[in-house]
């Protein structure tokens, strides 16, 4: 059986044929008093569990197809906080290509375990870059060292590869195909792949959709000072090469606590167990509420699933340790529950 057509216009084999075409659902219980409609694009339904499957496939597919990446000979090496690493690990496992992923101590343990289950080699850097106080520059330097020392090595470089945003032309196209009108699109940002890809697609077609970029408080992407962040997935300590001025119409920065609250509220009200960046997007929607006109249609891109955050965001003890007694911020009162 031949799988569905991928974003490049040709079929891909096996489990990889299930990348993309993710469902979109209306959120009616999240904030029932909102005078606009809200839909969620559930990227957790990709086989590797996140939107990064799209980028991984786009960045490797042609090199595998034309023989530049050879099973048993080539090695793919990349820096990742987890999701892209899982997507690359799955693709490399399918084709029998060696994969090395460079991560840091903030990477979820489950993400590392999943990559290793696919046969990937995972290297954890523990040094912090002295100038930025972050791990990312150290991760990138280590990737360069590995590429230089291993024969037939290839780094997709998600932070600069134009194939990363190209993969997300299909993401926003699927949203537009599902919704008769679209007024606001909310995207979490890290490598800027999703944000840039969606912006390219919408702007080239001159569609009047406002793009809301959701960044982590303390991230360097939009010029704010670098600061400490507990939750990986959105934000970056170094501005990616894929960044460009004007990609977003609005930028909303979300701190760790509001990210947690967004995730927990989404699980409690919509029964959607999503990852940290999805919680940040939910929080950003609340920040934008008064700027969204009645009758408008909003789409929120939820990048990944929440099972990988069970020992952090969804763990009551972890939350209490870092933020105190904050459960009231997502638990419904009797009156709120009745209104739903």
């Amino acid at each position: 059986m031949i799988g569905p057509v991928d974003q490049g216009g040709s079929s891909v084999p096996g489990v990889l044929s299930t990348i993309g075409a993710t469902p979109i659902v209306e959120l009616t219980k999240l904030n029932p008093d909102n005078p606009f409609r809200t839909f969620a694009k559930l990227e957790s339904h990709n086989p590797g569990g996140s939107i990064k499957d799209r980028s991984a496939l786009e960045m490797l597919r042609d090199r595998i197809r034309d023989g530049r990446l050879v099973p048993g000979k080539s090695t793919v090496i990349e820096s990742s906080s987890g999701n892209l690493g899982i997507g690359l690990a799955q693709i490399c496992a399918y084709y029998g290509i060696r994969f090395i992923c460079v991560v840091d101590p903030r990477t979820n343990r489950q993400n590392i375990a999943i990559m290793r289950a696919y046969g990937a080699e995972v290297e954890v850097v523990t040094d912090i870059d002295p100038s930025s106080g972050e791990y990312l520059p150290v991760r990138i330097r280590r990737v360069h060292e590995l590429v230089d020392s291993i024969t037939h090595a290839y780094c997709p470089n998600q932070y600069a590869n134009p194939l990363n945003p190209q993969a997300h032309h299909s993401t926003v196209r699927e949203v537009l195909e599902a919704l008769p009108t679209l007024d606001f699109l909310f995207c979490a940002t890290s490598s800027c792949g999703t944000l840039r890809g969606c912006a390219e697609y919408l702007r080239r077609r001159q569609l009047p959709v406002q793009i809301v970029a959701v960044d982590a408080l303390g991230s360097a992407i939009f010029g704010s000072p670098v600061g400490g962040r507990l939750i990986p997935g959105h934000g970056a300590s170094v501005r990616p090469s894929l960044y460009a001025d004007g990609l977003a119409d609005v930028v909303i920065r979300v701190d760790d606590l509001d990210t947690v609250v967004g995730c927990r509220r989404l699980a409690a009200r919509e029964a959607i167990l999503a990852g940290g960046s999805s919680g940040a997007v939910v929080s950003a929607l609340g920040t934008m509420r008064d700027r969204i006109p009645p009758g408008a249609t909003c789409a929120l891109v939820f990048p990944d699933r929440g099972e990988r955050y069970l020992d952090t965001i969804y763990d009551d003890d972890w939350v209490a340790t870092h933020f105190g007694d904050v459960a009231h911020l997502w638990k419904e009162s009797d009156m709120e529950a009745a209104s739903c």
Side-chain angles (χ1 to χ4, degrees):
M1 178 178 177
I2 297 176
V5 174
D6 70 11
Q7 54 257 45
S10 57
S11 62
V12 289
V15 69
L16 306 184
S17 69
T18 65
I19 294 175
T22 54
I24 187 165
V25 298
E26 185 166 10
L27 305 180
T28 59
K29 299 180 68 178
L30 182 63
N31 298 110
D33 294 333
N34 282 348
F36 49 83
R37 299 181 73 186
T38 305
F39 295 82
K41 182 70 165 160
L42 303 180
E43 289 297 298
S44 61
H45 285 245
N46 283 301
S50 86
I51 195 169
K52 295 289 191 176
D53 288 8
R54 296 178 186 261
S55 299
L57 179 62
E58 189 72 14
M59 291 190 293
L60 295 188
R61 183 192 56 224
D62 287 346
R63 283 181 170 264
I64 293 170
R65 186 174 294 155
D66 66 17
R68 284 178 290 171
L69 285 176
V70 181
K73 180 178 180 181
S74 302
T75 301
V76 174
I77 304 170
E78 180 62 293
S79 160
S80 173
S81 62
N83 282 333
L84 181 72
I86 290 171
L88 291 170
Q90 183 177 49
I91 293 168
C92 288
Y94 185 87
Y95 286 104
I97 295 171
R98 183 188 182 195
F99 173 53
I100 303 173
C101 190
V102 179
V103 303
D104 63 56
R106 290 192 308 190
T107 303
N108 294 338
R109 287 176 295 176
Q110 188 179 28
N111 284 349
I112 293 175
I114 293 170
M115 284 187 274
R116 286 177 171 155
Y118 279 125
E121 301 166 42
V122 181
E123 182 170 323
V124 183
V125 301
T126 56
D127 293 335
I128 295 176
D129 178 62
S131 60
S132 67
E134 290 285 340
Y135 292 109
L136 181 58
V138 181
R139 278 170 30 197
I140 293 173
R141 284 197 293 270
R142 182 55 182 158
V143 167
H144 291 324
E145 291 172 357
L146 290 169
V147 170
D148 290 341
S149 63
I150 297 174
T151 306
H152 302 296
Y154 167 63
C155 172
N157 190 6
Q158 62 168 316
Y159 310 105
N161 192 330
L163 294 177
N164 182 358
Q166 182 173 302
H168 299 292
H169 294 183
S170 66
T171 307
V172 69
R173 186 187 69 242
E174 291 168 17
V175 173
L176 294 168
E177 289 171 350
L179 302 177
T181 60
L182 180 62
D183 301 293
F184 292 85
L185 179 68
F186 287 71
C187 297
T189 185
S190 54
S191 69
C192 287
T194 304
L195 175 63
R196 183 165 186 149
C198 291
E200 288 173 349
Y201 190 93
L202 293 169
R203 304 275 167 72
R204 286 173 186 171
R205 287 155 182 79
Q206 298 182 325
L207 298 175
V209 179
Q210 287 201 51
I211 301 173
V212 181
V214 182
D215 195 16
L217 187 68
S219 165
I221 296 174
F222 293 96
S224 57
V226 173
R229 291 176 285 122
L230 289 172
I231 301 171
H234 62 291
S237 58
V238 177
R239 175 178 283 176
S241 298
L242 291 176
Y243 169 87
D245 291 337
L247 290 176
D249 298 293
V250 181
V251 176
I252 303 292
R253 296 176 176 87
V254 179
D255 64 20
D256 286 324
L257 175 57
D258 285 337
T259 294
V260 170
V261 172
C263 285
R264 300 293 288 256
R265 188 173 291 162
L266 186 64
R269 298 187 180 184
E270 294 283 355
I272 296 174
L273 196 69
S277 49
S278 301
V281 169
V282 168
S283 176
L285 177 69
T287 301
M288 283 286 294
R289 184 182 188 278
D290 293 338
R291 288 184 263 177
I292 299 173
T297 298
C298 302
L300 316 181
V301 179
F302 287 173
D304 66 355
R305 58 181 57 156
E307 290 91 338
R308 297 165 188 176
Y309 299 83
L310 291 178
D311 57 354
T312 54
I313 289 171
Y314 295 101
D315 183 270
D316 291 340
D317 291 336
W318 184 90
V319 172
T321 297
H322 292 284
F323 306 107
D325 184 8
V326 295
H328 63 281
L329 295 176
W330 63 79
K331 289 185 176 178
E332 296 174 330
S333 66
D334 292 339
M335 184 176 297
E336 287 174 322
S339 69
C340 293

